[in-house]
Amino acid sequence: MADRYWVGGSGNWNDTAHWSTSSGGAGGASVPNTSDNVYIDENSDSNGLNINLNVNLNCQSLIITPDVSAQISGNRN
């Protein structure tokens, strides 16, 4: 099990540039899988997020900090 943090603003769920191993850290971590905890927090984006689930969402748990404005929608093609 690992923790994954969304970073870098809006984008596609499967884009590794948006995944980090630490809050506010550099992107480039692997996309979360069924054993990973996903965090969307104040270091994800300060102006609100739009995350496109262009693949199946796979994670152990999804934790969104209450003060974060995040829209998560699906558009798999």
Side-chain angles (χ1 to χ4, degrees):
M1 180 194 300
D3 291 337
R4 290 290 178 264
Y5 297 83
W6 182 269
V7 296
S10 298
N12 291 325
W13 185 268
N14 70 341
D15 184 351
T16 59
H18 288 289
W19 294 110
S20 178
T21 57
S22 62
S23 178
S30 61
V31 175
N33 64 47
T34 57
S35 64
D36 297 330
N37 295 314
V38 169
Y39 295 89
I40 299 173
D41 64 14
E42 63 278 354
N43 291 316
S44 298
D45 186 66
S46 59
N47 297 315
L49 294 170
N50 290 304
I51 301 172
N52 180 37
L53 295 177
N54 59 333
V55 294
N56 289 330
L57 184 144
N58 290 310
C59 63
Q60 178 71 28
S61 59
L62 176 61
I63 301 98
I64 302 174
T65 302
D67 294 339
V68 173
S69 174
Q71 178 178 342
I72 302 174
S73 58
N75 188 16
R76 275 186 53 196
N77 293 325

Coordinates of all heavy atoms in Angstrom, one line a residue:
M1 N 0.8 -1.2 0.0 CA 0.0 0.0 0.0 C 0.9 1.2 0.0 O 1.9 1.3 0.7 CB -0.9 0.0 1.2 CG -1.8 1.2 1.2 SD -2.7 1.7 2.7 CE -3.7 0.3 3.1
A2 N 0.5 2.2 -0.8 CA 1.2 3.5 -0.9 C 0.2 4.6 -0.8 O -1.0 4.4 -1.1 CB 2.0 3.6 -2.1
D3 N 0.7 5.8 -0.5 CA -0.2 7.0 -0.6 C 0.2 7.7 -1.9 O 1.3 7.8 -2.3 CB 0.1 7.9 0.6 CG -0.4 7.4 1.9 OD1 -1.3 6.5 1.9 OD2 0.1 7.8 2.9
R4 N -0.9 8.3 -2.5 CA -0.7 9.1 -3.8 C -1.4 10.4 -3.6 O -2.5 10.4 -3.0 CB -1.3 8.4 -5.0 CG -0.5 7.2 -5.4 CD 0.9 7.6 -6.0 NE 1.7 6.4 -6.4 CZ 2.6 5.9 -5.6 NH1 2.9 6.4 -4.4 NH2 3.3 4.9 -6.0
Y5 N -0.8 11.5 -4.0 CA -1.3 12.8 -3.8 C -1.5 13.4 -5.2 O -0.6 13.4 -6.0 CB -0.4 13.7 -3.0 CG -0.2 13.2 -1.6 CD1 0.7 12.2 -1.3 CD2 -1.0 13.7 -0.5 CE1 0.8 11.7 0.0 CE2 -0.8 13.3 0.8 CZ 0.1 12.3 1.0 OH 0.2 11.8 2.3
W6 N -2.7 14.0 -5.4 CA -2.9 14.7 -6.7 C -2.2 16.1 -6.6 O -2.3 16.8 -5.7 CB -4.4 14.9 -6.9 CG -4.7 15.6 -8.2 CD1 -4.9 16.9 -8.4 CD2 -4.9 14.9 -9.5 NE1 -5.2 17.2 -9.7 CE2 -5.2 16.0 -10.4 CE3 -4.9 13.6 -9.9 CZ2 -5.5 15.7 -11.7 CZ3 -5.2 13.4 -11.2 CH2 -5.4 14.4 -12.1
V7 N -1.4 16.4 -7.7 CA -0.7 17.7 -7.8 C -0.9 18.3 -9.1 O -1.2 17.6 -10.1 CB 0.8 17.5 -7.4 CG1 1.0 17.1 -6.0 CG2 1.4 16.5 -8.4
G8 N -0.6 19.6 -9.3 CA -0.5 20.2 -10.6 C -1.8 20.6 -11.2 O -1.9 20.8 -12.4
G9 N -2.9 20.8 -10.4 CA -4.1 21.3 -11.0 C -5.0 20.3 -11.8 O -4.8 19.1 -11.5
S10 N -5.8 20.8 -12.7 CA -6.7 19.9 -13.4 C -6.1 19.0 -14.4 O -5.0 19.3 -14.9 CB -7.8 20.8 -14.1 OG -8.5 21.5 -13.2
G11 N -6.7 17.8 -14.6 CA -6.2 16.9 -15.6 C -6.8 15.6 -15.6 O -7.8 15.4 -15.0
N12 N -6.2 14.6 -16.3 CA -6.7 13.3 -16.4 C -6.1 12.4 -15.3 O -4.9 12.5 -15.0 CB -6.3 12.7 -17.8 CG -7.1 13.3 -18.9 OD1 -8.2 13.7 -18.8 ND2 -6.4 13.4 -20.1
W13 N -7.0 11.5 -14.8 CA -6.6 10.6 -13.7 C -5.4 9.8 -14.1 O -4.5 9.5 -13.2 CB -7.8 9.7 -13.4 CG -7.6 8.8 -12.3 CD1 -7.1 7.5 -12.3 CD2 -7.9 9.1 -10.9 NE1 -7.1 7.0 -11.0 CE2 -7.6 7.9 -10.1 CE3 -8.4 10.2 -10.2 CZ2 -7.7 7.9 -8.8 CZ3 -8.6 10.1 -8.8 CH2 -8.2 9.0 -8.1
N14 N -5.2 9.3 -15.3 CA -4.1 8.4 -15.6 C -2.8 9.2 -16.0 O -1.9 8.6 -16.5 CB -4.5 7.5 -16.8 CG -4.7 8.2 -18.1 OD1 -4.9 9.4 -18.2 ND2 -4.7 7.4 -19.2
D15 N -2.8 10.5 -15.9 CA -1.6 11.3 -16.2 C -0.6 11.3 -15.0 O -0.9 11.9 -14.0 CB -2.0 12.7 -16.5 CG -0.8 13.6 -17.0 OD1 0.4 13.1 -16.9 OD2 -1.1 14.7 -17.4
T16 N 0.5 10.6 -15.1 CA 1.4 10.5 -14.0 C 2.0 11.8 -13.5 O 2.5 11.9 -12.4 CB 2.6 9.5 -14.3 OG1 3.3 10.0 -15.5 CG2 2.1 8.1 -14.6
A17 N 2.0 12.8 -14.4 CA 2.4 14.2 -14.0 C 1.6 14.7 -12.8 O 2.1 15.6 -12.1 CB 2.4 15.1 -15.2
H18 N 0.4 14.2 -12.6 CA -0.5 14.6 -11.5 C -0.4 13.8 -10.2 O -1.1 14.1 -9.3 CB -1.9 14.7 -12.0 CG -2.2 15.8 -13.0 ND1 -2.2 17.1 -12.6 CD2 -2.4 15.8 -14.3 CE1 -2.5 17.9 -13.6 NE2 -2.6 17.1 -14.7
W19 N 0.5 12.8 -10.2 CA 0.6 12.0 -9.0 C 2.0 12.1 -8.4 O 3.0 12.1 -9.0 CB 0.3 10.5 -9.4 CG -1.1 10.3 -9.8 CD1 -1.5 10.0 -11.1 CD2 -2.2 10.5 -9.0 NE1 -2.9 10.0 -11.1 CE2 -3.3 10.2 -9.8 CE3 -2.4 10.7 -7.7 CZ2 -4.6 10.3 -9.4 CZ3 -3.7 10.8 -7.2 CH2 -4.8 10.6 -8.0
S20 N 1.9 12.3 -7.0 CA 3.1 12.5 -6.2 C 3.1 11.5 -5.0 O 2.0 11.1 -4.7 CB 3.2 13.9 -5.7 OG 4.4 14.1 -4.9
T21 N 4.2 11.2 -4.5 CA 4.2 10.4 -3.3 C 4.2 11.3 -2.0 O 4.1 10.8 -0.9 CB 5.5 9.6 -3.2 OG1 6.7 10.4 -3.3 CG2 5.5 8.6 -4.4
S22 N 4.1 12.6 -2.2 CA 4.0 13.5 -1.0 C 3.1 14.7 -1.4 O 3.0 15.1 -2.6 CB 5.3 14.0 -0.5 OG 6.0 14.7 -1.6
S23 N 2.4 15.3 -0.4 CA 1.6 16.4 -0.6 C 2.4 17.6 -1.1 O 3.3 18.0 -0.5 CB 0.9 16.8 0.7 OG 0.0 17.9 0.5
G24 N 2.0 18.1 -2.3 CA 2.7 19.2 -2.9 C 4.1 18.9 -3.5 O 4.8 19.7 -4.0
G25 N 4.4 17.6 -3.6 CA 5.6 17.1 -4.2 C 5.6 17.1 -5.7 O 4.6 17.5 -6.3
A26 N 6.7 16.7 -6.2 CA 6.8 16.6 -7.7 C 5.9 15.5 -8.2 O 5.8 14.4 -7.6 CB 8.3 16.4 -8.1
G27 N 5.4 15.7 -9.4 CA 4.6 14.7 -10.1 C 5.5 13.6 -10.7 O 6.8 13.7 -10.6
G28 N 5.0 12.6 -11.2 CA 5.7 11.5 -11.8 C 5.6 10.2 -11.1 O 6.2 9.2 -11.6
A29 N 4.8 10.1 -10.0 CA 4.6 8.9 -9.4 C 3.6 8.0 -10.2 O 2.9 8.6 -11.1 CB 4.1 9.1 -7.9
S30 N 3.5 6.8 -9.9 CA 2.6 5.9 -10.6 C 1.2 6.2 -10.3 O 0.9 6.8 -9.3 CB 2.9 4.4 -10.3 OG 2.7 4.2 -8.9
V31 N 0.3 5.9 -11.2 CA -1.1 6.1 -11.1 C -1.6 5.2 -9.9 O -1.1 4.1 -9.8 CB -1.9 5.8 -12.4 CG1 -3.4 5.9 -12.2 CG2 -1.4 6.8 -13.5
P32 N -2.5 5.7 -9.1 CA -2.9 4.8 -7.9 C -3.6 3.5 -8.4 O -4.2 3.4 -9.5 CB -4.0 5.7 -7.2 CG -3.7 7.1 -7.7 CD -3.1 7.0 -9.1
N33 N -3.4 2.5 -7.6 CA -4.1 1.2 -7.8 C -4.9 0.9 -6.6 O -5.1 1.6 -5.7 CB -3.0 0.1 -8.2 CG -2.1 -0.2 -7.0 OD1 -2.5 -0.3 -5.9 ND2 -0.8 -0.2 -7.3
T34 N -5.5 -0.3 -6.6 CA -6.5 -0.7 -5.6 C -5.9 -0.8 -4.2 O -6.7 -0.8 -3.3 CB -7.1 -2.0 -6.0 OG1 -6.1 -3.0 -6.1 CG2 -7.9 -1.9 -7.3
S35 N -4.6 -0.7 -4.0 CA -4.1 -0.8 -2.6 C -3.6 0.6 -2.2 O -3.0 0.7 -1.1 CB -3.0 -1.8 -2.6 OG -1.9 -1.5 -3.4
D36 N -3.8 1.6 -3.0 CA -3.2 3.0 -2.6 C -4.3 3.9 -2.1 O -5.5 3.8 -2.5 CB -2.6 3.6 -3.9 CG -1.4 2.9 -4.4 OD1 -0.7 2.2 -3.6 OD2 -1.2 3.0 -5.6
N37 N -3.9 4.7 -1.1 CA -4.8 5.8 -0.6 C -4.5 7.0 -1.5 O -3.4 7.4 -1.8 CB -4.5 6.1 0.8 CG -4.8 5.0 1.7 OD1 -5.9 4.4 1.6 ND2 -3.9 4.6 2.6
V38 N -5.6 7.7 -1.9 CA -5.5 8.9 -2.7 C -5.9 10.1 -1.9 O -7.0 10.1 -1.3 CB -6.4 8.8 -4.0 CG1 -6.5 10.1 -4.7 CG2 -5.8 7.7 -4.9
Y39 N -5.1 11.1 -1.9 CA -5.4 12.4 -1.2 C -5.5 13.5 -2.2 O -4.6 13.7 -3.1 CB -4.2 12.7 -0.2 CG -4.2 11.7 0.9 CD1 -3.4 10.5 0.7 CD2 -4.9 11.8 2.1 CE1 -3.3 9.6 1.8 CE2 -4.8 10.9 3.1 CZ -4.0 9.8 2.9 OH -4.0 8.8 3.9
I40 N -6.5 14.3 -2.1 CA -6.7 15.6 -2.8 C -6.8 16.6 -1.7 O -7.7 16.6 -0.9 CB -7.9 15.5 -3.7 CG1 -7.8 14.4 -4.7 CG2 -8.1 16.9 -4.3 CD1 -9.0 14.2 -5.6
D41 N -5.7 17.5 -1.6 CA -5.7 18.4 -0.5 C -5.3 19.8 -0.9 O -5.3 20.1 -2.1 CB -4.7 17.9 0.6 CG -3.2 17.8 0.1 OD1 -2.9 18.4 -1.0 OD2 -2.4 17.1 0.7
E42 N -5.0 20.7 0.0 CA -4.7 22.1 -0.3 C -3.5 22.3 -1.2 O -3.4 23.3 -1.9 CB -4.6 22.9 1.0 CG -3.4 22.5 1.8 CD -3.6 21.3 2.7 OE1 -4.8 20.8 2.8 OE2 -2.7 20.8 3.4
N43 N -2.7 21.3 -1.3 CA -1.5 21.4 -2.2 C -1.8 20.8 -3.6 O -1.0 20.8 -4.5 CB -0.3 20.6 -1.6 CG 0.2 21.4 -0.4 OD1 0.3 22.6 -0.4 ND2 0.5 20.6 0.6
S44 N -3.0 20.4 -3.9 CA -3.4 19.8 -5.2 C -3.7 21.0 -6.2 O -3.2 20.9 -7.3 CB -4.7 19.0 -5.1 OG -4.5 17.9 -4.2
D45 N -4.3 22.0 -5.7 CA -4.6 23.2 -6.5 C -5.3 24.2 -5.7 O -6.2 23.9 -4.9 CB -5.4 22.9 -7.8 CG -5.6 24.1 -8.7 OD1 -4.6 24.5 -9.3 OD2 -6.7 24.6 -8.8
S46 N -5.0 25.5 -5.8 CA -5.6 26.5 -5.0 C -6.9 27.1 -5.6 O -7.6 27.8 -4.9 CB -4.6 27.6 -4.7 OG -4.2 28.2 -5.9
N47 N -7.2 26.8 -6.9 CA -8.3 27.5 -7.5 C -9.4 26.5 -7.9 O -10.3 26.8 -8.7 CB -7.8 28.1 -8.8 CG -6.8 29.2 -8.5 OD1 -7.0 30.0 -7.6 ND2 -5.7 29.3 -9.2
G48 N -9.4 25.3 -7.4 CA -10.4 24.3 -7.7 C -9.9 23.4 -8.8 O -9.0 23.7 -9.5
L49 N -10.4 22.2 -8.8 CA -9.9 21.1 -9.7 C -11.0 20.5 -10.5 O -12.1 20.4 -10.1 CB -9.3 19.9 -8.8 CG -8.1 20.2 -8.0 CD1 -7.9 19.0 -7.0 CD2 -6.9 20.3 -8.8
N50 N -10.6 20.1 -11.7 CA -11.4 19.3 -12.5 C -10.6 18.1 -12.9 O -9.6 18.2 -13.6 CB -11.9 20.0 -13.8 CG -12.8 21.1 -13.5 OD1 -13.9 20.9 -12.9 ND2 -12.5 22.3 -13.9
I51 N -11.0 16.9 -12.3 CA -10.3 15.7 -12.6 C -11.1 14.8 -13.5 O -12.3 14.5 -13.1 CB -9.9 15.0 -11.3 CG1 -9.0 15.9 -10.4 CG2 -9.2 13.7 -11.6 CD1 -8.8 15.3 -9.0
N52 N -10.6 14.4 -14.6 CA -11.3 13.6 -15.6 C -10.9 12.1 -15.3 O -9.8 11.7 -15.5 CB -10.9 14.0 -17.0 CG -11.7 13.2 -18.0 OD1 -12.8 12.8 -17.8 ND2 -11.0 12.9 -19.1
L53 N -11.9 11.3 -15.0 CA -11.7 9.9 -14.9 C -11.8 9.2 -16.2 O -12.8 8.7 -16.6 CB -12.7 9.3 -13.9 CG -12.7 9.7 -12.5 CD1 -13.8 9.1 -11.7 CD2 -11.4 9.4 -11.9
N54 N -10.7 9.3 -17.0 CA -10.7 8.8 -18.3 C -10.3 7.3 -18.3 O -10.2 6.7 -19.4 CB -9.7 9.6 -19.2 CG -8.3 9.6 -18.7 OD1 -8.1 9.4 -17.4 ND2 -7.3 9.7 -19.5
V55 N -10.1 6.7 -17.1 CA -9.9 5.3 -16.9 C -10.7 4.9 -15.7 O -11.3 5.8 -15.0 CB -8.4 5.0 -16.7 CG1 -7.6 5.2 -17.9 CG2 -7.8 5.7 -15.5
N56 N -10.8 3.6 -15.3 CA -11.4 3.2 -14.1 C -10.7 3.8 -12.9 O -9.5 3.7 -12.8 CB -11.5 1.7 -14.0 CG -12.5 1.1 -15.0 OD1 -13.5 1.7 -15.4 ND2 -12.2 -0.1 -15.5
L57 N -11.4 4.3 -12.0 CA -10.9 4.8 -10.7 C -10.5 3.6 -9.9 O -11.4 2.8 -9.5 CB -11.8 5.7 -10.0 CG -11.3 6.3 -8.7 CD1 -11.9 7.8 -8.6 CD2 -11.7 5.5 -7.5
N58 N -9.3 3.4 -9.6 CA -8.8 2.3 -8.7 C -8.0 2.9 -7.6 O -7.0 3.5 -7.8 CB -7.9 1.3 -9.5 CG -8.7 0.6 -10.5 OD1 -9.7 0.0 -10.2 ND2 -8.2 0.5 -11.7
C59 N -8.5 2.7 -6.3 CA -7.8 3.1 -5.2 C -8.4 2.5 -3.9 O -9.6 2.1 -4.0 CB -7.7 4.7 -5.0 SG -9.3 5.5 -4.8
Q60 N -7.6 2.4 -2.9 CA -8.1 1.9 -1.6 C -9.1 2.8 -1.0 O -10.2 2.4 -0.6 CB -6.9 1.6 -0.7 CG -7.3 1.1 0.7 CD -7.8 -0.3 0.7 OE1 -7.4 -1.1 -0.2 NE2 -8.6 -0.7 1.6
S61 N -8.7 4.1 -0.9 CA -9.6 5.1 -0.4 C -9.3 6.5 -1.0 O -8.2 6.7 -1.5 CB -9.5 5.3 1.1 OG -8.1 5.6 1.5
L62 N -10.3 7.3 -1.1 CA -10.2 8.7 -1.7 C -10.5 9.7 -0.6 O -11.6 9.7 -0.1 CB -11.2 8.8 -2.9 CG -11.3 10.1 -3.6 CD1 -9.9 10.6 -4.2 CD2 -12.3 10.1 -4.6
I63 N -9.5 10.5 -0.2 CA -9.7 11.5 0.8 C -9.5 12.9 0.2 O -8.5 13.2 -0.3 CB -8.6 11.3 2.0 CG1 -8.7 9.9 2.6 CG2 -8.8 12.3 3.0 CD1 -7.8 8.9 2.0
I64 N -10.6 13.7 0.3 CA -10.6 15.0 -0.2 C -10.7 16.0 1.0 O -11.7 15.9 1.8 CB -11.7 15.3 -1.2 CG1 -11.7 14.3 -2.3 CG2 -11.7 16.7 -1.7 CD1 -12.8 14.4 -3.3
T65 N -9.7 16.8 1.2 CA -9.7 17.8 2.3 C -10.9 18.7 2.1 O -11.2 19.2 1.0 CB -8.4 18.7 2.2 OG1 -7.3 17.8 2.3 CG2 -8.4 19.7 3.3
P66 N -11.7 19.0 3.2 CA -12.9 19.7 3.2 C -12.8 21.1 2.5 O -13.7 21.5 1.9 CB -13.3 19.9 4.6 CG -12.7 18.7 5.3 CD -11.4 18.5 4.6
D67 N -11.7 21.8 2.6 CA -11.5 23.1 2.0 C -11.2 23.1 0.5 O -11.0 24.2 -0.1 CB -10.5 23.9 2.8 CG -10.9 24.2 4.2 OD1 -12.1 24.1 4.5 OD2 -10.0 24.5 5.0
V68 N -11.1 22.0 -0.1 CA -10.7 21.9 -1.5 C -11.9 21.7 -2.4 O -12.8 20.9 -2.1 CB -9.7 20.6 -1.7 CG1 -9.5 20.4 -3.2 CG2 -8.4 20.8 -0.9
S69 N -12.0 22.5 -3.4 CA -13.0 22.4 -4.4 C -12.6 21.5 -5.5 O -11.7 21.9 -6.3 CB -13.4 23.8 -4.9 OG -14.3 23.7 -5.9
A70 N -13.2 20.3 -5.6 CA -12.8 19.4 -6.6 C -14.0 18.8 -7.3 O -15.0 18.4 -6.7 CB -12.0 18.2 -6.0
Q71 N -14.0 18.8 -8.6 CA -15.0 18.2 -9.4 C -14.3 17.0 -10.1 O -13.4 17.1 -10.8 CB -15.6 19.1 -10.5 CG -16.6 18.4 -11.4 CD -17.2 19.4 -12.4 OE1 -17.1 20.6 -12.2 NE2 -17.8 18.8 -13.4
I72 N -14.9 15.8 -9.9 CA -14.4 14.6 -10.5 C -15.5 14.0 -11.4 O -16.6 13.8 -10.9 CB -14.0 13.6 -9.4 CG1 -12.9 14.2 -8.4 CG2 -13.5 12.3 -10.0 CD1 -12.5 13.3 -7.3
S73 N -15.1 13.9 -12.6 CA -16.1 13.4 -13.6 C -15.5 12.4 -14.5 O -14.3 12.3 -14.6 CB -16.7 14.6 -14.4 OG -15.6 15.2 -15.1
G74 N -16.3 11.6 -15.1 CA -15.9 10.5 -16.0 C -16.1 10.8 -17.4 O -17.2 11.3 -17.8
N75 N -15.1 10.5 -18.2 CA -15.3 10.6 -19.7 C -14.4 9.6 -20.4 O -13.4 10.0 -21.1 CB -14.9 12.1 -20.1 CG -15.3 12.3 -21.6 OD1 -16.0 11.5 -22.2 ND2 -14.7 13.4 -22.1
R76 N -14.6 8.4 -20.1 CA -13.8 7.3 -20.8 C -14.2 7.2 -22.2 O -15.3 7.0 -22.6 CB -14.0 6.0 -20.1 CG -13.1 5.8 -18.9 CD -13.2 4.5 -18.3 NE -13.0 3.4 -19.3 CZ -13.3 2.2 -19.1 NH1 -13.9 1.8 -18.0 NH2 -13.0 1.3 -20.0
N77 N -13.2 7.2 -23.1 CA -13.4 7.0 -24.5 C -12.7 5.8 -25.0 O -11.7 5.4 -24.6 CB -12.8 8.2 -25.3 CG -13.6 9.5 -25.0 OD1 -14.8 9.4 -24.8 ND2 -12.9 10.6 -24.9

